[in-house]
Amino acid sequence: MDMAVISGDGVFSHTMLGAKDLDASVKFYDAALAPLGVTNLGPFGDNWMLYGKDKPAFLVVRPGNGEAPSSNGVTIGFAAVTPADVDAFHAAGLAAGGTDEGAPGPRSHLPGAYAAYLRDPGGNKICAYAFTE
């Protein structure tokens, strides 16, 4: 693979979540992130799957210590361009084995926010936000 394993954006070098079942998580993230323009960039070794727009920034991995992943209290938020993208993210994630953690709709805690929340097959919480104002 010629691309960098992580891309960085000036704040984070990358974001990584553990997977109980990497195949199930890959199916979920392929579907849920596609409406946001984030694609599967392929594996890195046997235990990591890389996602990004033009270079890797989000990684889904089998935990290196062999234990079950734990992300209680963690939420990864993905940027969406429009509320329709948020709706598509939520629908695709549900169809690919995710569970609802907050239906698409306006969020009163942030002006102009429209968001949806999901749990991936491993129990990790993710969301997508678009801002309409």
Side-chain angles (χ1 to χ4, degrees), residues 11-30:
V11 176
F12 298 105
S13 62
H14 65 288
T15 301
M16 180 183 291
L17 286 177
K20 287 182 194 176
D21 177 334
L22 189 58
D23 293 335
S25 289
V26 166
K27 177 184 172 190
F28 171 82
Y29 283 108
D30 284 359

Side-chain angles (χ1 to χ4, degrees), residues 16-20 46-48 60-70:
M16 180 183 291
L17 286 177
K20 287 182 194 176
D46 294 332
N47 296 314
W48 294 18
V60 179
V61 306
R62 288 185 181 99
N65 64 5
E67 294 180 17
S70 172

Side-chain angles (χ1 to χ4, degrees), residues 101-125:
E101 191 69 19
R107 296 301 192 262
S108 62
H109 61 278
L110 292 170
Y114 186 93
Y117 288 79
L118 292 165
R119 292 270 179 184
D120 75 8
N124 298 300
K125 186 163 67 170

